[in-house]
Amino acid sequence: MTNIRDIAQLSGYSISTVSRVLNHQNYVSDKTRAAIQQVIDQLDYVPNAVARDLSRGKTFNVGVVLPHADHPYFTQLLHGIMQAAFSTNYRVVLLPSKYNATLELQYLEDLRQKAYDALIFTSHGLPLTALNRYRRYGPIVVCENPHDCPIPAAYAERLATYQDAFELLKQRGYRHIGILASRPAPVSATCQAMVTAHHTVFGTDPAPELMRTDVTTPSDAQRAGDYYITQHLKLDAILTNGDDNAVGLRRAYHQHHQTPPFLIGQEHQLSGEVLGLPTIDHHFVEVGIKAFDLAVSGQTGNIAIASQLLLPDPQPQIKRV
Amino acid sequence: MTNIRDIAQLSGYSISTVSRVLNHQNYVSDKTRAAIQQVIDQLDYVPNAVARDLSRGKTFNVGVVLPHADHPYFTQLLHGIMQAAFSTNYRVVLLPSKYNATLELQYLEDLRQKAYDALIFTSHGLPLTALNRYRRYGPIVVCENPHDCPIPAAYAERLATYQDAFELLKQRGYRHIGILASRPAPVSATCQAMVTAHHTVFGTDPAPELMRTDVTTPSDAQRAGDYYITQHLKLDAILTNGDDNAVGLRRAYHQHHQTPPFLIGQEHQLSGEVLGLPTIDHHFVEVGIKAFDLAVSGQTGNIAIASQLLLPDPQPQIKRV
DNA sequence: TTGTAAGCGTTATCAC
DNA sequence: GTGATAACGCTTACAA
């Protein structure tokens, strides 16, 4: 392992001069630079990145905490974060959490230990106040509306769009509305927003038996559908948490030889397009970009991005040839 | 910034003893440990991760080079890699490449600079021999069949399955087969495998005008469909590179009010299920797991995972209620 | 323009 | 059990 000292010795110059050459700084004469560069080339030397980071006190690593890797919310968010990181020479480190408090705490401790320059929580199990406490060790950004907790955040403003969705259902005369959510309202801002919007539009909370939580995959959604069917809960419509999950629901109804209720998707996935579902695009890529910007700038403040209800394109007529 | 020296001084013990306490090693008396721990707690001290890495000469970071973030091949592979990394305390660092040689080279140089303990190329633009040259600086794993290049690899064995796919088409009497690929055969092992399989089954190479490359997104696929249609290329079937891309193709035909040809998907995506397409599951999650194992073990050798042609479930009868 | 030397904060070896 | 001290490999005042 050849190091900067070796280069200094063999070239006959000092470590600092070698360092200047390495970092393309000024105040090095052309012939000195050339002489040193020659030794560098000769020994096939490259500086050690970790030593550099230590000396500079900065890693250019941003940790991104992800409960799951296979959910569109997270992949889209990650996509945005990567995009933003890419143009700034920061590196993205993936931190799987499964909403596990011990793991999340570990990542916060890693930040404290300077393993990352900043941390982005795409979602979290720990209370916001717990995260907030670690901000003294470095920038921490969350991807939800933090309400009264003064923590930097970039998030999709969903409430108005959920209201749009329920208004659509109301206009169509639907009253018995199923709701699919990944986590229950007490811990999930998203779920809370759906409940609030339902209340605003219909004047009542959603019936508890029509709300299914812990639905993340299409298979989960299929099970939720099985539940609705076997419990003989006659639904007019279901607000699903993802177009793909709507597919799972549909599967359940089809297997029971029933026509599914009117479905609204989320995430603007391809499966929704195929099925001609209305969907909600939360613009998570953009949210990711903003989250990253907040993280590296160290700025405080919240950035809300408006969601959007998208109605399906009319299905084209197919001419049989 | 309080460091190990501070703890040593304030506790009255030496740096080495403090280090032993930090690393939960033996040979420290209980009362010494307690005394030191008290100072640690009092000063709210944690060791610096970067200094640790430097001293140990290891980062526990594995770099994963990804041309795109939004393609199922990469997300599934990444999913597997994360899963494997998670259970071994390694961290996954995302390295976007866009098949850009300069970027790929930069990542290889980063490996050389010890920024990562190992590197996984999910795909690459640089020739294998170029990657192979950097193996002296650390383990490098690719996710394709490297054939005669002696570089560690985990990959989906696609050839036999592509043959199955073409056999299916042949049995159905189809002869004019379109093919969608992300990159042309000279640089893409995947594309080569499709061509070879076509040759094996039909005895001829695919007609050049029926092969569309540079197709990665559904929109690209839609453009490919536009091409087939406007060029009046009557196709019996199309082997698409992804169920989602099949959706794009389908969109093109529908917009031209035509019935799409018989479509075969890939990646076993939900959109394919909805459309009832045959699809090819390449088991990329498992490939990712194996790739990671190779990377951290530093083993040499190749691991091939068999792909699988999946036929659609029969569409259920729907009873109108 | 170049050199000296003091950091950066650990871990590891070896002596006691 | 504990402590000196030398790595680890670089950056950066400050001096010359």
Side-chain angles (χ1 to χ4, degrees):
Chain A
M1 182 83 289
T2 143
N3 62 25
I4 197 173
R5 230 179 321 270
D6 300 336
I7 304 300
Q9 256 168 358
L10 265 85
S11 66
Y13 288 90
S14 72
I15 291 180
S16 15
T17 305
V18 174
S19 177
R20 285 191 198 98
V21 171
L22 289 174
N23 295 289
H24 307 98
Q25 294 186 19
N26 308 319
Y27 304 119
V28 180
S29 78
D30 284 353
K31 71 159 172 281
T32 302
R33 187 182 299 277
I36 290 176
Q37 190 60 52
Q38 196 197 323
V39 178
I40 289 175
D41 294 343
Q42 193 181 319
L43 294 203
D44 197 34
Y45 163 77
V46 280
N48 179 296
V50 181
R52 243 180 193 171
D53 286 348
L54 174 62
S55 202
R56 287 203 268 246
K58 205 170 170 188
T59 63
F60 283 95
N61 284 340
V62 172
V64 177
V65 180
L66 300 161
H68 313 287
D70 52 357
H71 193 282
Y73 166 68
F74 300 108
T75 50
Q76 290 177 30
L77 215 42
L78 186 59
H79 196 191
I81 292 170
M82 282 180 69
Q83 214 173 290
F86 180 73
S87 49
T88 57
N89 289 313
Y90 273 81
R91 271 176 252 103
V92 171
V93 182
L94 258 30
L95 307 173
S97 72
K98 306 177 180 175
Y99 289 116
N100 177 322
T102 314
L103 280 170
E104 291 180 358
L105 212 47
Q106 180 59 58
Y107 298 139
L108 289 167
E109 286 292 335
D110 289 348
L111 174 69
R112 187 176 166 199
Q113 299 186 4
K114 306 264 176 232
Y116 319 110
D117 290 354
L119 223 43
I120 298 174
F121 279 86
T122 59
S123 185
H124 53 92
L126 290 173
L128 275 177
T129 52
L131 304 188
N132 201 37
R133 238 175 267 132
Y134 275 83
R135 282 180 53 211
R136 43 180 306 213
Y137 303 116
I140 298 178
V141 177
V142 298
C143 298
E144 79 203 38
N145 188 336
H147 296 293
D148 48 327
C149 183
I151 192 169
Y155 58 92
E157 184 59 73
R158 311 161 118 112
L159 189 55
T161 313
Y162 286 144
Q163 286 179 15
D164 292 345
F166 285 123
E167 284 291 355
L168 172 69
L169 297 180
K170 193 180 181 184
Q171 278 171 23
R172 288 173 154 256
Y174 301 144
R175 301 301 302 221
H176 296 94
I177 317 286
I179 296 179
L180 260 40
S182 54
R183 293 189 304 157
V187 294
S188 163
T190 303
C191 193
Q192 279 163 38
M194 293 198 275
V195 170
T196 306
H198 186 283
H199 198 105
T200 305
V201 173
F202 291 105
T204 61
D205 277 352
E209 71 274 18
L210 302 190
M211 289 210 52
R212 306 303 296 167
T213 58
D214 298 300
V215 175
T216 56
T217 67
S219 300
D220 296 335
Q222 184 174 357
R223 274 189 289 279
D226 287 338
Y227 170 85
Y228 288 141
I229 295 163
T230 56
Q231 297 294 308
H232 302 292
L233 298 167
K234 299 291 181 194
L235 295 177
D236 300 321
I238 304 175
L239 176 55
T240 70
N241 59 345
D243 295 356
D244 281 357
N245 288 351
V247 172
L249 263 180
R250 188 170 170 274
R251 194 154 53 191
Y253 281 91
H254 282 184
Q255 287 192 353
H256 289 264
H257 304 291
Q258 296 187 16
T259 305
F262 184 81
L263 301 175
I264 295 186
Q266 287 191 64
E267 319 310 351
H268 195 192
Q269 295 169 290
L270 219 49
S271 53
E273 175 186 323
V274 175
L275 293 181
L277 303 184
T279 189
I280 297 174
D281 190 331
H282 293 294
H283 303 311
F284 287 130
V285 174
E286 201 181 337
V287 171
I289 293 173
K290 298 296 185 190
F292 178 85
D293 290 345
L294 279 175
V296 299
S297 71
Q299 281 173 357
T300 152
N302 294 355
I303 300 176
I305 309 270
S307 296
Q308 200 176 359
L309 177 66
L310 300 176
L311 299 181
D313 287 336
Q315 296 286 318
Q317 301 298 316
I318 300 180
K319 186 193 335 175
R320 298 283 163 191
V321 285
Chain B
M1 183 84 286
T2 142
N3 61 23
I4 198 174
R5 234 179 316 270
D6 299 336
I7 305 299
Q9 256 168 357
L10 265 85
S11 66
Y13 289 90
S14 70
I15 291 180
S16 0
T17 306
V18 175
S19 178
R20 285 192 198 98
V21 171
L22 290 175
N23 296 289
H24 307 98
Q25 294 185 16
N26 308 319
Y27 303 118
V28 180
S29 78
D30 284 355
K31 73 159 169 280
T32 303
R33 185 182 300 277
I36 290 176
Q37 190 59 52
Q38 195 195 327
V39 178
I40 287 174
D41 294 343
Q42 192 181 320
L43 294 203
D44 198 34
Y45 163 77
V46 281
N48 179 297
V50 181
R52 239 177 198 174
D53 285 348
L54 174 62
S55 200
R56 283 203 273 244
K58 204 171 170 187
T59 63
F60 283 95
N61 284 340
V62 172
V64 177
V65 180
L66 301 161
H68 312 287
D70 53 357
H71 193 283
Y73 167 69
F74 300 108
T75 52
Q76 290 177 30
L77 216 42
L78 186 60
H79 196 188
I81 292 170
M82 282 180 69
Q83 215 173 291
F86 181 73
S87 51
T88 56
N89 288 313
Y90 273 81
R91 273 176 250 102
V92 171
V93 182
L94 259 31
L95 308 174
S97 72
K98 306 176 180 175
Y99 288 117
N100 177 323
T102 314
L103 280 170
E104 291 181 358
L105 212 48
Q106 179 58 58
Y107 297 139
L108 289 167
E109 286 292 334
D110 289 348
L111 174 68
R112 186 176 167 201
Q113 300 187 2
K114 306 263 175 238
Y116 319 110
D117 290 354
L119 222 42
I120 297 174
F121 279 87
T122 59
S123 186
H124 53 93
L126 290 174
L128 276 176
T129 52
L131 304 188
N132 200 38
R133 238 174 266 132
Y134 275 83
R135 283 179 54 211
R136 44 181 305 213
Y137 303 117
I140 299 178
V141 177
V142 298
C143 298
E144 79 205 37
N145 188 336
H147 296 292
D148 49 327
C149 183
I151 191 169
Y155 58 93
E157 183 58 71
R158 309 161 120 113
L159 189 54
T161 313
Y162 285 143
Q163 286 180 14
D164 292 345
F166 285 123
E167 284 292 354
L168 173 70
L169 297 181
K170 192 179 182 184
Q171 278 170 24
R172 287 173 155 258
Y174 301 144
R175 301 301 302 220
H176 296 95
I177 317 287
I179 296 179
L180 260 41
S182 54
R183 293 189 302 157
V187 295
S188 163
T190 302
C191 194
Q192 279 162 38
M194 293 198 275
V195 170
T196 305
H198 186 284
H199 198 104
T200 304
V201 173
F202 291 104
T204 60
D205 277 352
E209 71 272 19
L210 302 190
M211 289 210 52
R212 306 303 295 168
T213 57
D214 297 299
V215 175
T216 55
T217 67
S219 300
D220 296 335
Q222 184 173 355
R223 274 189 289 278
D226 287 339
Y227 170 85
Y228 289 141
I229 295 163
T230 56
Q231 298 295 309
H232 302 291
L233 298 167
K234 298 291 182 194
L235 295 176
D236 300 322
I238 304 175
L239 176 56
T240 69
N241 59 345
D243 296 357
D244 281 358
N245 288 352
V247 172
L249 263 182
R250 189 171 169 273
R251 196 154 53 191
Y253 281 91
H254 282 184
Q255 287 192 353
H256 288 264
H257 304 292
Q258 297 187 15
T259 306
F262 185 81
L263 301 175
I264 295 186
Q266 287 191 64
E267 319 309 351
H268 195 192
Q269 295 170 291
L270 221 47
S271 54
E273 175 186 322
V274 174
L275 293 181
L277 302 184
T279 189
I280 296 173
D281 190 330
H282 293 292
H283 303 311
F284 288 130
V285 174
E286 202 182 335
V287 172
I289 293 174
K290 298 297 184 191
F292 177 85
D293 290 345
L294 279 176
V296 299
S297 71
Q299 282 172 358
T300 151
N302 294 356
I303 301 177
I305 309 272
S307 297
Q308 201 177 358
L309 177 66
L310 299 175
L311 299 181
D313 287 336
Q315 295 286 320
Q317 299 299 315
I318 300 180
K319 188 196 329 179
R320 300 282 164 191
V321 287

